[in-house]
Structure formats: structure tokens, C-alpha cells
Amino acid sequence: MTRPRLTQQERTERTRELLLDATVDCLVELGYARTSTNEICRRAGVSRGAQQHHFATKAELMANAIEHLVTKLLASMSEHPPSALPGPDRVAMGIDMLWQGYSGSLSTAVMELWVAARTDPELRAAMHPIDKGLARRTSELFREMLGDQVAPDQPEQPQKDMPLWLTVNLIRGLALDAMLGGDPVRRDQLLQEWKTIAVNTYGA
């Protein structure tokens, strides 16, 4: 039985996905400095012309790869939201999900790009809107996770996202510690300690 032919739109989306997945793999395995568009195209199985048709510059390709990875991770985390759990369990599971999602490939790829962006204005300009979008979508997901544990938007409550950003910044630090070969036991202890504090503070 022959498979139905893909439409032009489906072929376009498939090519983009192959390029973006290959870009993430290269960033994680090779680092930004050793990642070339030729290597990305080789892994994706597409021509340089096809790559340039979809992404005019290397910076655009890199930034879109991060957005692609974020979209996949958020979709995965949204499949099993902890919003139905009691307050304390919900907070702890929300922190665990953020750690699992943001301490792996995403953390490595983003770290590679932000280090490179420090001296690359084009990459920095491409990354800024992606980073803002990541922050917004992470905040939305975290609010969904915690439900009524997080106060509604109020101008007089500027610290309503404090548990989220404390968690995100801790995770970034722990992820960097993992990249540098830090003690995994210590990392787990620090994460468990923060979960205890967060549950006691926000899980009533």
C-alpha cells in the first residue's frame, strides 16, 4: 500500500523540523563554535540552498532552533499538568517538571548561544525575542501548574512570579554546575532543599 504524497506545506514543515532538530543536536554535541551550517545540513539531509530558503542567516537558524526546542518541551510538560494535585504536591511536581525540562538539551543549547551572543550582535538581536517568549510561556505554564497557588495579576503584587523565577534561576545555576562537572549529589540536595522551601511557602 503506497503512502500518500506529502503536500507542499507538509514538505516545508518537515524540512524546517529536520533543520531545527539538527541544529539543536549540533549545539549540544559540538558547541556553537564547531557548529557549521554545512554540518547542520548534512545531519538534516537537506541542501544548503534549502537551508538558506528557510533561514537566511545562521543567527536566525540558531534562534529558531531554541524556539523549536522550547515548543516541544512545553508541549511535553503540558501533557501531564500537576494542577489536579493538592497544593504541596503541585508545587513540588511543578519544580520537578521545570528541572527535567530546562536542565537538559535546552539549557546546554541556550548557554552555548548566549555565550556566543555576547560578542555577536546579530545573534544577540535574534536571541532577545526568543528569550522573552521563553520567559512568557514558562510563566504561563508555571501558573497553570500552580493554579490557585499563584496570585492573579495585580499591579500591587510585583513579586507574584517570585517562585517561578527563583526556580528558573536555581535551575540555570544547577545546570551550569552539571556542565562544569559538579557534584550530582550536591545538586540533588540543593534542588530538594528548594522544593521544601517552596512547598512550605507556596504550597499551603
Side-chain angles (χ1 to χ4, degrees):
M1 185 169 136
T2 59
R3 297 176 60 185
R5 295 183 62 183
L6 297 178
T7 66
Q8 180 61 44
Q9 182 178 353
E10 288 171 334
R11 289 196 296 271
T12 296
E13 292 174 353
R14 178 58 177 159
T15 299
R16 284 178 60 89
E17 185 172 7
L18 288 169
L19 284 166
L20 296 172
D21 284 339
T23 300
V24 172
D25 289 344
C26 284
L27 285 171
V28 173
E29 294 176 26
L30 305 176
Y32 179 79
R34 292 171 56 208
T35 293
S36 66
T37 50
N38 285 335
E39 176 62 15
I40 291 170
C41 290
R42 186 190 69 79
R43 293 190 181 207
V46 304
S47 67
R48 282 280 283 124
Q51 175 259 306
Q52 291 173 327
H53 173 74
H54 292 285
F55 305 101
T57 66
K58 181 179 179 181
E60 182 184 351
L61 173 57
M62 295 291 169
N64 276 273
I66 297 301
E67 185 175 33
H68 172 67
L69 180 56
V70 168
T71 298
K72 290 171 65 174
L73 286 171
L74 291 180
S76 175
M77 285 190 279
S78 297
E79 289 178 359
H80 305 288
S83 54
L85 296 174
D89 292 339
R90 192 188 313 165
V91 172
M93 184 175 175
I95 292 173
D96 281 338
M97 289 177 71
L98 286 175
W99 168 248
Q100 292 165 11
Y102 287 85
S103 64
S105 297
L106 177 61
S107 177
T108 302
V110 169
M111 187 74 68
E112 286 288 334
L113 291 183
W114 272 121
V115 169
R118 186 181 70 84
T119 55
D120 186 332
E122 183 181 19
L123 180 59
R124 188 163 61 249
M127 285 291 292
H128 268 299
I130 302 300
D131 197 53
K132 287 183 179 179
L134 171 59
R136 182 182 66 255
R137 292 161 70 188
T138 302
S139 178
E140 291 169 354
L141 178 63
F142 200 72
R143 286 166 179 272
E144 181 182 338
M145 286 177 175
L146 296 188
D148 56 9
Q149 303 302 118
V150 178
D153 287 329
Q154 296 290 339
E156 66 273 15
Q157 293 178 318
Q159 295 184 330
K160 60 185 178 297
D161 281 336
M162 189 62 72
L164 166 66
W165 297 117
L166 284 169
T167 301
V168 168
N169 283 282
L170 174 65
I171 285 173
R172 285 174 175 170
L174 293 178
L176 178 59
D177 181 73
M179 292 181 208
L180 297 175
D183 183 358
V185 174
R186 181 184 61 201
R187 284 196 301 277
D188 184 66
Q189 290 173 338
L190 290 171
L191 187 63
Q192 294 304 318
E193 181 66 18
W194 167 237
K195 284 168 61 177
T196 299
I197 294 171
V199 165
N200 290 336
T201 306
Y202 306 105

